[in-house]
Amino acid sequence: MNAIFPVFTLLLCGMFTLAGCSRGTSAEPPTPGNASAVAGAAADTGGSRKGDFGPPQGEPIKAVLTSPPNVPPPTGRSAPAKVIVELEVIEKELPIAEGTTYTFWTFGGTVPGSFIRVRQGDTVEFHLNNHPDSKMPHNIDLHGVTGPGGGAASSFTAPGHSSQFTFKALNQGLFVYHCATAPVGMHVANGMYGLILVEPPQGLPPVDKEFYVMQGDFYTVGKFREKGFQAFDMQKAIDENATYVLFNGSETALTGDNALKASVGQNVRLYVGNGGPNLVSSFHVIGEIFDKVWYEGGTRYQENVQTTLVPAGGAIIADFHLEVPGSYVLVDHSIFRAFNKGALGILKIDGPENLSIYSGKEVDSVYLGDKAASLASVSTAATSNAAGTLSLEEQVAAGKSLYSGTCSVCHQDNGAGLPGVFPPLAKSDYLATQPKEQIVRVVLNGLSGAVKVNGQDYNSVMPPMSQLRDDEIANILSFVQTSWGNSGERVRKEDVTAVRAATPRAEGAAH
Ligand SMILES: [Cu+2]
């Protein structure tokens, strides 16, 4: 019996639907004596054919729309209604990173666009208004619509105009909506996407906190974190060479004061979408395990999940219970995106420690990098640098923030290093005696081989840090040279530029 059981299950799964087989729900694992669980038919929602609950009842309801990271309250209804959605397209310049702006095209003034929440069977009267100041026509394709173009064909809207169409939300689930005006990729890349939740008739299980998070990839002419206004780069977008990968349209949307907040003991739900236009997301929360994930935004959930895939133009719902206070980091686990392109957000949990579950003390900088410090000083320094008024104090303040995210993992926050492993920068005789050019070279190209610092021998490898911009290196070194008892020289951006130009590019180094 045991030998033929897997074959038996496989056959049934192939014969019927995939539901309840390969990616089970809370249903019992299939056993030969449990035929209904094997077929999974009992849990079948019936899809669109069973999603029409008849004509709308009662007075029409105006949908509550929310800006990210907020989610509208549950509809709380037990009958289908007519729901009116008013969504306005606004093209506007917003910060994409500290000190960097970009012209986003938005649904409702934010990236992602306003969150829409309805109930399965509702009749949705959709009004799309394109602000008179817009330069472009726009439309909307909602993945929760049954009908050609998902509404796009009926919603082409010129600047200063409005359009209207109506649909019945036949399928439950969490759906992406986006603009589908040509060039579609460009409209999506500029932030034209959001989420619409079609609640199942019985609603979703209640939780304490709900948040709205949506990933997107962005393509700018300038490099990552290059200051000032940045324009869209079509070729980078076609090449899928993202400059930024972000949650909620900005590097700082979910960090610092904007971190998501909850408390120990609470159940948290994340509605996570991915607008793309190009990249799929390996969504992960560092230090948490999702108790439930409604994968692909559909009806069934998987349990006890570490990382879940969010396709471009797709979404998931993740629930988890909070046991231990601290900072939890939301990332795309395609990890260079998190640490070098901005795909990082913070969920700050307050409440009492729970030492039986986790004993450790919180060390923010391990995963937060330069997000542990405020980057405001970095952007102030960049502004002054552009204006030609950069003072040593501004350089030192900016350098301190950058140091904590870049150098402190090895040389430590206090510059003391680790005996025998990482040489000290505090009171370093190497720093005191080597010419300025050599110090810059160490940061740009790294350092390896035997070196003596304060009488101690080191023979290790420091990786090149050439991904840092010239002004950033100047600020870090100005901070290092004037801190912890060092009395070295201030380093200016021009010093770094000169060394970089004179140095053959180190192998594997960024440029
Ligand atoms: Cu558009």
Side-chain angles (χ1 to χ4, degrees), residues 32 82 115 154 161 202 248 252 257 295 331 368 379 429 443 455 484:
K82 177 171 177 181
F115 196 108
S154 320
H161 288 71
Q202 73 281 12
N248 292 2
T252 53
D257 291 343
Y295 45 92
V331 295
L368 297 183
S379 100
D429 59 359
V443 176
W484 314 308

Side-chain angles (χ1 to χ4, degrees), residues 277-505:
N278 290 319
L279 305 178
V280 302
S281 174
S282 301
F283 185 73
H284 176 77
V285 176
I286 298 172
E288 261 298 342
I289 297 132
F290 303 134
D291 296 327
K292 289 180 184 160
V293 173
W294 283 264
Y295 45 92
E296 295 164 8
T299 306
R300 297 179 202 288
Y301 58 78
Q302 169 67 294
E303 294 180 272
N304 308 312
V305 173
Q306 56 191 307
T307 300
T308 190
L309 201 63
V310 194
I316 63 102
I317 303 171
D319 279 13
F320 49 101
H321 184 252
L322 304 173
E323 277 86 12
V324 179
S327 288
Y328 292 78
V329 187
L330 283 59
V331 295
D332 179 340
H333 216 295
S334 287
I335 211 76
F336 270 103
R337 297 178 190 168
F339 296 107
N340 300 78
K341 297 189 172 194
L344 189 151
I346 293 162
L347 172 62
K348 193 115 189 129
I349 312 295
D350 61 18
E353 291 288 351
N354 192 335
L355 297 180
S356 72
I357 293 177
Y358 187 68
S359 70
K361 78 173 170 50
E362 193 194 337
V363 184
D364 270 352
S365 59
V366 172
Y367 270 124
L368 297 183
D370 56 17
K371 288 285 169 26
S374 163
L375 288 175
S377 55
V378 175
S379 100
T380 307
T383 310
S384 299
N385 189 43
T389 61
L390 183 63
S391 68
L392 177 61
E393 289 66 40
E394 287 173 325
Q395 274 198 288
V396 168
K400 187 172 193 226
S401 285
L402 291 164
Y403 176 91
S404 78
T406 324
C407 320
S408 73
V409 268
C410 298
H411 294 290
Q412 305 301 296
D413 261 327
N414 60 4
L418 280 182
V421 188
F422 303 119
L425 299 180
K427 300 198 181 75
S428 151
D429 59 359
Y430 187 96
L431 278 172
T433 54
Q434 291 289 327
K436 192 197 277 184
E437 292 70 33
Q438 172 57 17
I439 309 292
V440 173
R441 230 175 272 135
V442 167
V443 176
L444 268 177
N445 302 338
L447 188 67
S448 58
V451 59
K452 207 188 246 322
V453 183
N454 297 351
Q456 256 232 286
D457 289 317
Y458 294 86
N459 193 350
S460 185
V461 177
M462 168 169 155
M465 304 269 151
S466 54
Q467 82 280 5
L468 296 167
R469 292 193 320 269
D470 293 354
D471 60 319
E472 293 176 324
I473 293 177
N475 295 343
I476 292 173
L477 287 177
S478 293
F479 161 69
V480 167
Q481 287 286 36
T482 59
S483 302
W484 314 308
N486 291 341
S487 47
E489 257 186 280
R490 174 180 184 183
V491 178
R492 291 171 196 273
K493 182 186 175 194
E494 298 71 48
D495 299 325
V496 183
T497 307
V499 174
R500 201 192 287 258
T503 323
R505 188 175 295 154

Side-chain angles (χ1 to χ4, degrees), residues 96-165:
I96 189 168
E98 194 83 54
T100 309
T101 59
Y102 183 82
T103 301
F104 292 93
W105 300 346
T106 74
F107 286 111
T110 55
V111 177
S114 309
F115 196 108
I116 306 166
R117 186 166 191 157
V118 300
R119 179 179 175 273
Q120 188 179 16
D122 281 350
T123 296
V124 182
E125 183 183 292
F126 206 100
H127 298 255
L128 188 69
N129 310 316
N130 193 355
H131 195 277
D133 291 346
S134 293
K135 306 228 169 6
M136 298 284 157
H138 301 284
N139 65 11
I140 192 163
D141 166 353
L142 299 115
H143 291 181
V145 167
T146 306
S154 320
S155 58
F156 181 88
T157 313
H161 288 71
S162 300
S163 54
Q164 182 188 330
F165 64 98

